[in-house]
Amino acid sequence: MATEEEQFTLCVQNVEKAEREIERLQAELAVVADGKKLLEEGFASPELEKLRMENQKLKFQLNHLKTYLSEEKGRVRDYALDIRGIVEDVFTRAIYTAFPELPNPIVLVVPSTKFSDYQCNSAMSIAQQVSSTTGKKTSPRDVAQAILDNVPDTPFFEKMDIAGPGFINIALKKEFVAKELSFLLTHGVKPPKVVKRKVVIDYSSPNIAKEMHVGHLRSTIIGESISRLMEWVGHDVLRLNHLGDWGTQFGMLTAHLIEKYPNLLEVRPPIEDLQAFYRESKARFDDETQPEFKRKAYECVVKLQSKDPFIYQAWKIIYDISMEVNNGVYRKLGVSKNLIERGESFYQDRMVQLIKDLDQAGEITIDEHGRKVMFLPGFDVPLMLVKSDGGFTYDTSDLACIKQRLQEENGEWLIYVVDSGQSTHLQSIFVAADKLGWVDKAKHRIDHVGFGLVLGEDKKKFKSRSGETVRLRDLLTEGIKRVENRLRETNRDKELSPEELEKVKESVAYGCIKYADLSHNRTSDYIFSFDKMLDDRGNTAAYLLYANTRIRSIARSANVSPDDLKAAAKATPIELDHPAEWKLAKCILRFTEVIDRVLDDLLLHSLCDYVYELTTTFTEFYDKCYCIEKDKATGKIIRVNMSRLLMCEATALVIATSFHILGIQPLDKM
């Protein structure tokens, strides 16, 4: 390894080289800019138009070098490298340099496990582009060679070669991989480099006076994990729980509450079963023999919307009882206390003002039924903003909601974790916000994170045996019982203290329920099966939790403390001579690549697949590479391979970070 002085000298040389390159590129950019101005004014040859096309390519290189320069000067970074991203950057620059005549050459880099570490598969498509653009035929192998000829010197690659019709195989340099592993061990698992944004995420969103049921499971679990991911990479995250807490049904509920508990302000109503209370009030509301109750219910709606003090307090009692039950579920699922309750009631005054503003802007049309509607491009059905009786709708509240998030919260990235059945509705809201000028496409990103249904093992919508929707707290309780039974069947409960047993039951039960959801592509339905999710073989939380405790125990069995590992991480070079060591090292460093992908598509099953792959790759490494050698006769430790023990630690650190994002609680003993 180079000495500190040698590294510093190399660093200075790199800085000087990069500064010279930046000066050259800036001069070229100045020529391009002047050429564009002269061309527009009619004083320059059209030949300069070709030079102007290089503007974007030069800017790309310039920004890349400026970033590199700042890193070299500081010699410290607080983020992890995305190796696939580095390969793409290097080959993008090479392709742009080799084929400046192409307006938008295709850069395609994929991981390749059989022949190399990565592969650039751009040659075939670029050969076609060259042919159609210039009329000159060229072979993909010649294109691949031209690309390779323009790849700059980097510390990343051991070798590159051309295979088949034009595939470029890329092998990473072991010194580079070892250096990145050492960085991980000494600095911790760092997120990729991202532009920090204000993220507003909407998830869970149950209805007040109705208990959370299995239908709320996916939104809650997916939303919480995405929030954790966003916070971990450094975004400013605002979690919002968009509660259904307003409308006609709350007039019905408050009217029933007042009649059943007339002294509700003095003595809190003893409502323990929200479902039963809701059914009672709904039965009375639908009963044609009780017209007086329906009239009172409508009166309560009017008074509630006008914030009548007594009616509002009655409504608040129902609200508080509901949230106490919901918060009990959230605690079990590890949902952040920063999930802010913000129901439809929050937007009541904003909806009134919204209609006034849209009226003044001429955006509202009165239809034949006397309703106020707003027509949108690309949609046959308009948004219905005000009903004929003057009431607001979901369209009104969601339009007021997105405006508030964009303009008052200054949200730059809005995420709605809502079932796929609401896709058309949400898309219409997004289009309306764009039409009204609230969205700046250069600044804002808006995503609907849709998801499928939770199905029973009969592949129908998940129901209880009586045919009713399964309450979420009942589902979690059942999970605890199932885990406890498994532990007793295998006598593992006898190896645990009462405190350890409780921790294991909760970690496994709740972790398995979450992971079973997150490990499936959220856009599809999935079958809920306790038997499958509690299996400690295969891609389940039970298997991962067990594997993680095993990895964590290796250093303890070698009598190596956490402080010993920290010291070793600074002094011990990582050796990657065995194929299993090399395979595990590359798998560990792919974590950043996976995180970048999830940030792009918000599909968390990619992270689950990765953690499972990392765990199985570690098992292969541990089976083939001795970390600790013991005397067979005495059992005493003969030798500890500290490099391999550090590989165990790096694996454990990445799994721990993944568990945090997925909301899984790790265990020391299982």
Side-chain angles (χ1 to χ4, degrees):
M1 293 181 66
T3 65
E4 186 74 15
E5 184 177 350
E6 289 171 337
Q7 290 179 8
F8 181 76
T9 301
L10 180 62
C11 174
V12 171
Q13 292 173 349
N14 287 338
V15 168
E16 292 173 349
K17 181 179 179 181
E19 284 178 333
R20 290 194 299 271
E21 183 70 2
I22 284 175
E23 288 176 3
R24 182 186 70 78
L25 289 170
Q26 284 176 327
E28 288 191 34
L29 284 170
V31 171
V32 171
D34 288 343
K36 179 184 177 183
K37 182 178 180 183
L38 290 170
L39 185 66
E40 290 172 348
E41 294 175 354
F43 296 113
S45 165
E47 287 296 314
L48 281 175
E49 177 66 11
K50 181 179 178 181
L51 183 60
R52 186 176 69 82
M53 291 175 63
E54 295 300 298
N55 190 13
Q56 286 301 108
K57 300 176 186 179
L58 292 168
K59 280 184 177 179
F60 170 82
Q61 294 177 37
L62 181 62
N63 290 334
H64 188 81
L65 284 167
K66 280 182 175 178
T67 300
Y68 175 70
L69 180 61
S70 65
E71 290 166 5
E72 287 290 286
K73 281 181 175 177
R75 304 185 67 217
V76 175
R77 56 182 164 92
D78 60 353
Y79 59 89
L81 296 180
D82 176 352
I83 295 179
R84 180 173 176 173
I86 287 174
V87 177
E88 287 179 346
D89 282 350
V90 169
F91 275 83
T92 296
R93 185 176 176 187
I95 289 168
Y96 277 18
T97 305
F99 301 98
E101 71 277 12
L102 299 183
N104 190 25
I106 296 171
V107 181
L108 181 60
V109 171
V110 298
S112 175
T113 55
K114 189 174 181 180
F115 301 106
S116 60
D117 301 322
Y118 290 90
Q119 197 173 73
C120 178
N121 296 340
S122 300
M124 282 67 78
S125 60
I126 289 176
Q128 293 178 345
Q129 284 181 286
V130 169
S131 177
S132 60
T133 302
T134 66
K136 299 178 182 177
K137 288 190 175 182
T138 184
S139 73
R141 283 190 69 90
D142 289 341
V143 169
Q145 188 60 56
I147 295 171
L148 279 184
D149 291 343
N150 285 280
V151 172
D153 291 334
T154 75
F156 312 126
F157 311 141
E158 183 67 36
K159 66 175 183 176
M160 296 169 286
D161 55 53
I162 302 169
F167 301 113
I168 301 175
N169 289 327
I170 305 151
L172 296 175
K173 190 171 285 186
K174 287 187 178 180
E175 292 83 354
F176 164 64
V177 172
K179 181 181 176 183
E180 285 306 302
L181 281 175
S182 294
F183 177 84
L184 185 156
L185 287 160
T186 53
H187 293 78
V189 181
K190 295 291 184 181
K193 191 173 186 178
V194 298
V195 177
K196 305 298 194 306
R197 308 173 87 173
K198 174 67 176 289
V199 178
V200 181
I201 179 164
D202 174 332
Y203 67 100
S204 193
S205 307
N207 291 315
I208 293 302
K210 292 182 180 179
E211 281 215 46
M212 291 176 70
H213 54 76
V214 71
H216 297 107
L217 182 65
R218 302 206 75 182
S219 176
T220 304
I221 291 173
I222 295 168
E224 176 63 20
S225 288
I226 292 176
S227 298
R228 286 169 176 250
L229 171 63
M230 295 296 170
E231 284 181 334
W232 182 70
V233 300
H235 293 307
D236 178 12
V237 179
L238 174 62
R239 295 167 158 93
L240 294 180
N241 196 356
H242 189 72
L243 303 169
D245 67 350
W246 211 243
T248 303
Q249 63 179 339
F250 291 97
M252 172 188 81
L253 290 163
T254 52
H256 183 55
L257 183 72
I258 292 165
E259 287 194 9
K260 191 169 183 177
Y261 304 103
N263 62 338
L264 57 90
L265 297 185
E266 289 76 35
V267 180
R268 177 178 163 121
I271 302 173
E272 295 183 357
D273 191 335
L274 285 167
Q275 301 288 85
F277 181 80
Y278 184 89
R279 284 195 294 267
E280 287 174 13
S281 58
K282 185 71 166 66
R284 293 187 67 191
F285 187 79
D286 293 339
D287 188 349
E288 294 181 2
T289 66
Q290 297 191 50
E292 182 63 18
F293 177 77
K294 181 172 284 192
R295 183 186 64 78
K296 286 181 180 179
Y298 283 126
E299 285 179 0
C300 285
V301 173
V302 175
K303 290 179 179 180
L304 180 59
Q305 291 181 344
S306 62
K307 301 289 179 68
D308 175 90
F310 177 68
I311 299 299
Y312 187 82
Q313 283 181 289
W315 169 84
K316 189 67 167 59
I317 288 171
I318 298 170
Y319 182 101
D320 290 343
I321 292 172
S322 296
M323 288 313 300
E324 285 174 12
V325 175
N326 291 344
N327 287 333
V329 172
Y330 290 146
R331 281 192 296 273
K332 291 177 179 179
L333 288 174
V335 173
S336 172
K337 293 179 180 178
N338 295 325
L339 178 58
I340 296 172
E341 301 159 19
R342 189 173 289 176
E344 293 165 347
S345 58
F346 176 83
Y347 302 98
Q348 178 67 21
D349 295 338
R350 289 170 175 80
M351 287 189 277
V352 174
Q353 187 60 48
L354 173 69
I355 299 304
K356 289 179 181 178
D357 294 343
L358 294 180
D359 263 328
Q360 290 177 358
E363 293 287 351
I364 285 181
T365 302
I366 309 295
D367 71 6
E368 65 274 17
H369 302 291
R371 300 173 297 191
K372 291 187 175 182
V373 301
M374 177 182 176
F375 287 93
L376 301 172
F379 289 84
D380 296 330
V381 179
L383 294 179
M384 187 169 72
L385 301 178
V386 182
K387 296 185 288 186
S388 55
D389 63 3
F392 296 137
T393 69
Y394 287 127
D395 291 346
T396 330
S397 61
D398 283 339
L399 198 56
C401 171
I402 196 171
K403 182 181 181 183
Q404 193 275 338
R405 293 174 183 180
L406 289 167
Q407 298 184 354
E408 294 181 44
E409 302 294 350
N410 295 314
E412 297 169 289
W413 189 353
L414 307 189
I415 301 173
Y416 290 74
V417 186
V418 181
D419 70 271
S420 297
Q422 297 296 315
S423 178
T424 301
H425 165 69
L426 286 174
Q427 289 304 318
S428 68
I429 296 298
F430 302 160
V431 169
D434 186 44
K435 180 185 178 185
L436 294 167
W438 302 340
V439 179
D440 179 352
K441 291 184 178 179
K443 175 183 178 182
H444 296 121
R445 174 177 171 179
I446 303 176
D447 285 298
H448 171 211
V449 175
F451 52 85
L453 299 173
V454 181
L455 305 178
E457 295 191 65
D458 58 359
K459 297 185 179 180
K460 295 180 181 178
K461 201 169 182 180
F462 195 46
K463 300 278 187 181
S464 67
R465 289 184 180 179
S466 62
E468 296 182 348
T469 302
V470 178
R471 294 192 306 182
L472 199 43
R473 61 171 167 166
D474 292 340
L475 188 75
L476 299 179
T477 300
E478 178 67 17
I480 292 288
K481 290 179 181 176
R482 298 267 189 141
V483 172
E484 186 171 13
N485 290 339
R486 285 287 182 97
L487 291 170
R488 296 193 189 285
E489 287 170 5
T490 56
N491 292 320
R492 290 186 193 175
D493 60 310
K494 295 176 182 177
E495 302 171 13
L496 303 168
S497 69
E499 294 77 16
E500 289 173 336
L501 181 61
E502 285 304 310
K503 190 174 180 181
V504 169
K505 286 194 299 185
E506 291 182 1
S507 175
V508 175
Y510 305 152
C512 284
I513 289 171
K514 291 179 186 180
Y515 191 82
D517 189 311
L518 297 172
S519 61
H520 288 84
N521 188 323
R522 61 170 168 78
T523 60
S524 303
D525 300 340
Y526 86 95
I527 296 172
F528 189 96
S529 168
F530 273 122
D531 289 337
K532 289 182 180 179
M533 67 178 64
L534 294 176
D535 193 340
D536 57 9
R537 298 162 297 176
N539 191 8
T540 67
Y543 167 74
L544 295 176
L545 282 164
Y546 177 74
N548 185 58
T549 58
R550 182 183 174 211
I551 295 169
R552 281 296 188 190
S553 70
I554 295 170
R556 290 197 300 269
S557 67
N559 298 319
V560 176
S561 70
D563 288 339
D564 293 336
L565 285 170
K566 287 180 182 178
K570 296 177 182 178
T572 306
I574 302 296
E575 298 173 0
L576 302 173
D577 298 326
H578 194 285
E581 291 175 319
W582 180 230
K583 183 178 179 180
L584 178 60
K586 291 184 291 181
C587 189
I588 291 169
L589 295 186
R590 275 189 44 237
F591 176 67
T592 311
E593 172 188 322
V594 173
I595 291 296
D596 268 332
R597 189 193 320 156
V598 177
L599 286 170
D600 181 51
D601 60 25
L602 303 178
L603 293 168
L604 288 156
H605 71 275
S606 298
L607 178 57
C608 296
D609 291 343
Y610 166 77
V611 180
Y612 179 61
E613 179 188 348
L614 176 61
T615 306
T616 55
T617 303
F618 176 84
T619 300
E620 181 183 340
F621 154 81
Y622 193 67
D623 288 344
K624 294 180 179 178
C625 301
Y626 287 108
C627 299
I628 307 164
E629 291 184 42
K630 294 183 178 181
D631 185 280
K632 292 182 180 179
T634 65
K636 289 184 178 180
I637 297 173
I638 301 172
R639 177 175 176 265
V640 174
N641 187 316
M642 190 55 73
S643 171
R644 289 176 179 174
L645 213 58
L646 289 172
M647 294 278 283
C648 299
E649 177 67 7
T651 303
L653 289 172
V654 171
I655 291 175
T657 303
S658 302
F659 276 8
H660 168 72
I661 293 169
L662 298 171
I664 296 172
Q665 187 63 42
L667 294 164
D668 296 323
K669 191 175 180 182
M670 187 171 169

